[in-house]
Amino acid sequence: MRGFFVTIRNWRTMTWPRSERAVAIGATLVVLLLCVTSGWDQWRARNLTLADNDRELASLASSIAEHTARSMQGAQLILRRTAIDQDVMRARTAPLQAATFLRKQIDGAPQLRELSIADVTGQLVATSEKSDYSHVNVFARSYFQRLQRANGDAIAISELVVSLLDHKLALPMALRLHDASDRFTGVVVASIELGYFRKFYEQIDLTPGTRIRLLGSDGEPIAGYERPPGIVGSDLRSVVHAVEGYPLKIEVARSNSMILAAWKATVFNVLTRSLLISVFIALLARFLIKQLRRVRQINEELRSSEHRLRTVFEHAPIGVVVLRGHRYIAANPAFQQMVGYSEAELKELHIEDITYPDDAYLTQLHTSELICGGATSVHFQKRYVHRDGHIVWTDIRSARIFPSRQAEHVRDVDQEYMMAAVEDITQRLEDERQRERLEQQLRQSQKLEALGTFAGGVAHDFNNILGAILGFGERALSLLEDGTPERRHVEQVMKAGERARLLVERILTFSRSGSTARVAVDVRSVVFEVIGLLRATLPDCIALEVQLDDEDLFVLGEPTHLHQVVMNLCSNAVRAMPEGGRLRVSLKRLRMDAPVTLSHGAASEGNYVQLSVADSGVGIPPEVLERMFNPFFTTRKAGEGTGLGLSLVDGIVREYGGAIDVRTEVGKGTCFLVYLPLTDALPASASPGGEPLPRGKGQVVMLVDDEETLVTLGEEVLAELDYEPVGFQSAVAAWQAFREEPERFDVVVSDQTMPDMTGLELVQRIRTLRPDLPVILCSGFSTVALEEAAREAGVLSVLHKPLSQADLARELERVFHSTSAH
């Protein structure tokens, strides 16, 4: 190492006194190089700035086009939903009812201003607007003419027109109405609210000087917004993106002057800095020329510099090596520790000897670029093979030191000196991969949470419908004799309703996290039950292997949830083996001594039960593996699956604090490993069933629900149970009746979600007059927050819709039993 630095010192001593002219030429070349590189960098910076702007505009246009498509799809869905409703058929005879129905259809759809129905002559027969429409006829509109000539459930989008109702600009979307013979009977027209799109554009955090416009198929603007200062003239860059499925386009434009404003300021700064550096180099060159005569003083400074360089070399925190050709001349302790070889051993090795074989060509390529290609330095990443065999990822910055005298005319790589700074980035790369996995899991969780909220809202409304179907179906079934065609028909209705109830339960299970109380569940008994059901339907070509631990394995949860997890995984495994194979189900206890990140979730330290479901089927392709836990994603044919199976499994496992690891190979099979945390709690014994329904003793029950059918059904059920029901379709009406006769009622059964007053608000008012009156709350979408709020308000219990007669009877019996006990 010392000999290397002596060589540097002697070469510098011989080179400096050659000529003062060499210093002047060198300074001139440096200034020229600085100017050229500065100009090149700024030219590249300008191109990069424009390219980044184009990518930003393209991404923004794509996102806005996607939002516009979803808005138009929402309007299209409302049109189709309106067209199939029976209220459309009664529009001419009952215009007021039709207007109310149309207003309900567009409620919650901010992109729609009004919804109208026109008959076959184009005359409006109903509209959601509260205005006179007797003079309005849309026969001349282009969309009416197109739909009149179309077939089936055709949809037409018009050009921008002035509404005949409110005389404002609107974008009409119309759906063809027809009878059973496909004869044209009219249209349903939705006016798209242009202000909705402008408000949406205003809410986007746009760069000043940016313009967004919604264009028609002919390129004419429909709606738009410009972020001040506005775009002036034609000096702009724009991106146009088509709205998929609709004759619309999104244009995003930005002024070139605004795009390049920051770049121009940078150019000025760079030019100023380059000028100052050039002046400094000129002054330095002059100073060096004057100092050439002071060789001895310079030599002393070089010796001092050699000492400092050696100190830095020996104590640098990153690896530093000196190479001559492909041989190691010197290596500091940091590099020796990095690769596991001493400096003496490295001097006997060739550079390729400790290079990872796949990176050998990369090393040769960059070395040749540095020596023969004229590059002053190179920067690249490569892998070394440590002495113990493990791989070390490094980041290398290498530069030539000086050419040998023989290489001044003919460059010989083996005679060139190079110095390289080598940084170990193995841990950093691993941390980056870990961060990417965690970010992907976070994005998945956020997507599931948003979709779960939407699913919960749909399930809430659907439960009210199911309550009426199952309730009246149960009553109709009890009135029919066995073996009659009518009873078979009603039984089929009940089976379909039960399937819908189970689907809603799946949606609710997916959408609400921690919304139900958990109990200790024996996982072995759940797996035994699923295996028993599976054996009865398993094809003969599939062999089933079961291996379960004998010890007790309890987790906090619900038996139904765990049953769904095991059954969904086993069902998917069977479908993955259409030609037959082997299905293996195992259950065992294991201990996590440290947190572990799995393919879908992370498991912290603790005791777990590992459920393994493996098949020898077709495997999972990478594009399916990435999306298979997404809600409503399925690879089956239409009508064969809901796409909620694996998303439900993922939601339940995450809710229970567990994780999933998926191991698959296309053509060889898949293994799902589910990890659930164990609990020391013991399961409670099951309560006996088959008891007769308890009945009342004439108690007066206030029944409140905004659904008329549910109120009617509830009154009939309560009357059969020997209670005196008093039904109300409005919480306000119920409160008025209670305020007039507070002592009349013995119990209140109220829905939670009602338009004028919620169930909890009604309870709070009732408590002001009768604090001791028992109250039962019903909800189609119960959450932990609702149950906690109900307990704070003094509600005895919260029942989940749809209610059965047995649930209501037992809950009322419990209410009056606990009241009499006190």
Side-chain angles (χ1 to χ4, degrees):
M1 179 65 202
R2 180 177 178 82
F4 170 75
F5 286 107
V6 170
T7 302
I8 294 179
R9 185 182 67 231
N10 293 338
W11 179 81
R12 294 291 301 272
T13 304
M14 292 185 296
T15 304
W16 272 121
R18 285 186 177 181
S19 174
E20 297 177 1
R21 184 182 302 172
V23 176
I25 293 175
T28 303
L29 291 177
V30 170
V31 171
L32 290 176
L33 180 62
L34 176 64
C35 295
V36 171
T37 55
S38 298
W40 171 258
D41 289 342
Q42 295 313 304
W43 181 79
R44 288 183 67 251
R46 182 182 185 277
N47 292 338
L48 289 175
T49 300
L50 294 175
D52 290 342
N53 173 78
D54 292 343
R55 284 193 295 270
E56 179 187 353
L57 295 182
S59 177
L60 181 59
S62 176
S63 301
I64 297 175
E66 184 178 355
H67 172 270
T68 305
R70 288 198 302 269
S71 300
M72 301 302 288
Q73 290 169 2
Q76 184 174 335
L77 178 61
I78 290 175
L79 286 176
R80 294 192 181 279
R81 187 174 60 195
T82 303
I84 64 175
D85 198 282
Q86 294 299 322
D87 288 345
V88 175
M89 307 304 174
R90 299 193 296 268
R92 183 182 295 275
T93 58
L96 294 179
Q97 294 181 4
T100 302
F101 162 75
L102 294 177
R103 282 192 290 272
K104 288 183 178 179
Q105 294 298 309
I106 64 173
D107 187 25
Q111 70 271 33
L112 298 184
R113 187 165 72 228
E114 58 93 15
L115 189 64
S116 302
I117 301 173
D119 60 15
V120 69
T121 65
Q123 178 64 40
L124 253 62
V125 297
T127 179
S128 60
E129 289 291 309
K130 297 180 179 180
S131 59
D132 182 19
Y133 55 87
S134 59
H135 63 286
V136 178
N137 190 292
V138 297
F139 183 85
R141 296 293 194 188
S142 61
Y143 61 82
F144 187 90
Q145 299 294 327
R146 291 201 301 270
L147 292 180
Q148 193 177 32
R149 296 187 299 269
N151 297 319
D153 298 329
I155 287 184
I157 299 179
S158 173
E159 67 279 358
L160 196 64
V161 299
V162 176
S163 174
L164 299 176
L165 286 171
D166 53 11
H167 305 291
K168 296 179 181 178
L169 286 175
L171 183 65
M173 176 185 287
L175 173 69
R176 181 177 182 268
L177 297 178
H178 59 87
D179 57 15
S181 301
D182 199 30
R183 290 192 297 271
F184 179 68
T185 60
V187 296
V188 180
V189 186
S191 294
I192 307 298
E193 176 59 55
L194 302 181
Y196 166 78
F197 294 104
R198 177 178 175 82
K199 291 178 181 178
F200 173 74
Y201 302 156
E202 291 176 354
Q203 293 172 359
I204 301 175
D205 186 14
L206 297 176
T207 302
T210 304
R211 180 182 70 192
I212 301 176
R213 295 194 302 180
L214 175 64
L215 307 178
S217 58
D218 54 358
E220 289 297 320
I222 296 176
Y225 171 71
E226 292 184 11
R227 171 74 185 274
I231 298 177
V232 180
S234 60
D235 183 25
L236 56 85
R237 300 177 75 87
S238 63
V239 174
V240 177
H241 196 287
V243 178
E244 185 176 359
Y246 300 94
L248 302 173
K249 294 179 286 187
I250 297 295
E251 180 199 52
V252 182
R254 185 174 294 156
S255 172
N256 273 334
S257 60
M258 297 301 297
I259 298 172
L260 297 176
W263 174 80
K264 292 178 180 178
T266 303
V267 170
F268 177 80
N269 293 335
V270 170
L271 291 177
T272 303
R273 183 168 62 250
S274 299
L275 178 61
L276 293 177
I277 294 175
S278 300
V279 173
F280 174 78
I281 292 174
L283 295 176
L284 181 61
R286 181 180 178 184
F287 174 77
L288 290 176
I289 293 173
K290 290 182 179 180
Q291 298 301 317
L292 286 176
R293 299 174 184 177
R294 303 170 59 183
V295 176
R296 292 183 181 178
Q297 181 180 354
I298 293 175
N299 288 337
E300 291 297 329
E301 294 177 354
L302 286 175
R303 281 193 291 271
S304 177
S305 175
E306 175 191 340
H307 175 72
R308 292 193 298 270
L309 182 58
R310 183 185 301 113
T311 302
V312 172
F313 181 84
E314 296 293 339
H315 297 89
I318 63 174
V320 180
V321 295
V322 179
L323 301 167
R324 185 178 183 183
H326 293 84
R327 293 283 181 179
Y328 292 99
I329 302 300
N332 71 338
F335 184 78
Q336 299 172 32
Q337 183 179 5
M338 190 183 303
V339 297
Y341 295 93
S342 65
E343 185 175 20
E345 292 172 330
L346 287 171
K347 289 181 179 180
E348 300 297 326
L349 295 174
H350 197 270
I351 188 173
E352 281 80 10
D353 292 339
I354 61 173
T355 299
Y356 189 72
D358 292 347
D359 293 348
Y361 176 75
L362 177 68
T363 304
Q364 295 176 359
L365 181 64
H366 285 289
T367 301
S368 300
E369 179 185 357
L370 185 64
I371 301 303
C372 303
T376 57
S377 64
V378 291
H379 179 204
F380 61 99
Q381 293 181 353
K382 66 175 286 187
R383 289 167 287 183
Y384 285 100
V385 180
H386 193 273
R387 188 182 191 126
D388 61 10
H390 76 267
I391 305 301
V392 180
W393 273 98
T394 60
D395 184 86
I396 298 178
R397 296 179 182 272
S398 180
R400 294 173 60 205
I401 298 176
F402 56 83
S404 64
R405 282 176 292 182
Q406 293 84 359
E408 291 180 357
H409 301 289
V410 179
R411 292 182 176 178
D412 187 356
V413 174
D414 291 334
Q415 300 299 322
E416 292 293 336
Y417 286 94
M418 294 170 287
M419 179 174 287
V422 185
E423 180 184 1
D424 187 351
I425 60 172
T426 305
Q427 186 60 43
R428 188 177 73 190
L429 292 178
E430 179 61 28
D431 293 341
E432 289 177 356
R433 286 192 290 268
Q434 179 74 3
R435 184 190 63 195
E436 291 175 357
R437 286 195 295 268
L438 293 177
E439 288 178 352
Q440 183 178 6
Q441 292 174 5
L442 177 60
R443 288 193 295 269
Q444 179 73 1
S445 298
Q446 291 173 341
K447 182 166 58 175
L448 291 179
E449 180 181 356
L451 197 54
T453 302
F454 169 75
V458 173
H460 167 267
D461 294 336
F462 197 49
N463 265 331
N464 284 336
I465 302 173
L466 280 179
I469 294 174
L470 294 177
F472 282 109
E474 183 180 22
R475 297 184 61 76
L477 195 63
S478 65
L479 300 177
L480 297 174
E481 297 181 359
D482 294 338
T484 62
E486 292 82 1
R487 185 178 180 88
R488 289 197 302 271
H489 296 165
V490 176
E491 286 175 347
Q492 292 300 321
V493 172
M494 294 296 292
K495 288 180 181 179
E498 183 63 21
R499 288 177 59 193
R501 186 190 66 79
L502 292 176
L503 178 60
V504 173
E505 178 61 27
R506 283 191 176 188
I507 295 175
L508 290 177
T509 301
F510 159 73
S511 64
R512 62 190 184 211
S513 176
S515 61
T516 57
R518 300 183 191 172
V519 297
V521 181
D522 184 359
V523 183
R524 293 178 69 251
S525 63
V526 173
V527 175
F528 269 126
E529 180 183 352
V530 174
I531 294 301
L533 295 174
L534 192 63
R535 289 185 189 276
T537 59
L538 200 63
D540 296 336
C541 59
I542 296 179
L544 177 62
E545 299 178 4
V546 182
Q547 183 177 359
L548 308 179
D549 278 359
D550 294 334
E551 58 181 322
D552 293 333
L553 301 171
F554 300 133
V555 299
L556 288 178
E558 286 188 349
T560 303
H561 289 178
L562 296 177
H563 187 281
Q564 290 173 336
V565 170
V566 182
M567 181 58 79
N568 281 326
L569 293 179
C570 291
S571 300
N572 286 344
V574 172
R575 293 188 183 93
M577 298 182 289
E579 304 298 329
R582 183 172 61 258
L583 173 62
R584 297 186 301 275
V585 181
S586 65
L587 201 65
K588 67 178 181 179
R589 175 195 293 264
L590 57 82
R591 168 78 183 177
M592 294 286 190
D593 296 326
V596 178
T597 300
L598 304 175
S599 63
H600 293 81
S604 57
E605 181 181 354
N607 294 317
Y608 287 82
V609 55
Q610 182 196 70
L611 168 66
S612 173
V613 179
D615 63 75
S616 58
V618 296
I620 303 176
E623 63 274 11
V624 176
L625 184 64
E626 182 180 355
R627 303 175 55 200
M628 66 181 180
F629 286 107
N630 290 355
F632 306 108
F633 173 76
T634 179
T635 58
R636 304 181 204 169
K637 298 179 180 178
E640 294 184 0
T642 62
L644 287 175
L646 286 181
S647 66
L648 182 63
V649 170
D650 183 57
I652 292 174
V653 172
R654 288 178 185 271
E655 180 181 342
Y656 288 2
I660 303 175
D661 195 20
V662 182
R663 303 171 185 175
T664 184
E665 186 174 354
V666 177
K668 294 187 177 181
T670 302
C671 178
F672 282 83
L673 297 174
V674 178
Y675 297 86
L676 296 173
L678 290 171
T679 181
D680 295 331
L682 298 177
S685 57
S687 58
E691 298 179 357
L693 295 182
R695 296 185 174 274
K697 298 179 181 180
Q699 295 95 330
V700 179
V701 180
M702 172 183 281
L703 181 64
V704 187
D705 199 304
D706 60 331
E707 291 286 340
E708 179 182 358
T709 55
L710 295 183
V711 173
T712 303
L713 175 63
E715 288 179 335
E716 294 182 5
V717 169
L718 289 171
E720 284 189 1
L721 295 174
D722 296 333
Y723 293 100
E724 182 182 343
V726 181
F728 297 92
Q729 297 181 25
S730 167
V732 175
W735 164 243
Q736 292 175 351
F738 184 85
R739 187 171 52 184
E740 294 174 358
E741 298 181 86
E743 300 299 330
R744 176 187 177 188
F745 303 99
D746 298 306
V747 66
V748 175
V749 179
S750 173
D751 185 25
Q752 161 62 14
T753 305
M754 293 181 286
D756 46 8
M757 184 190 305
T758 66
L760 286 178
E761 292 173 349
L762 178 61
V763 171
Q764 291 172 353
R765 295 192 182 186
I766 289 176
R767 292 289 185 228
T768 59
L769 299 181
R770 286 190 60 185
D772 58 339
L773 183 65
V775 178
I776 299 174
L777 201 63
C778 304
S779 175
F781 181 48
S782 179
T783 63
V784 173
L786 175 60
E787 293 180 358
E788 291 179 354
R791 282 194 297 270
E792 293 175 359
V795 175
L796 293 181
S797 62
V798 179
L799 299 181
H800 299 166
K801 290 183 176 181
L803 297 178
S804 66
Q805 185 177 17
D807 293 337
L808 185 59
R810 293 192 181 96
E811 191 61 30
L812 287 173
E813 194 273 339
R814 188 180 70 85
V815 167
F816 289 117
H817 179 74
S818 60
T819 303
S820 60
H822 286 81

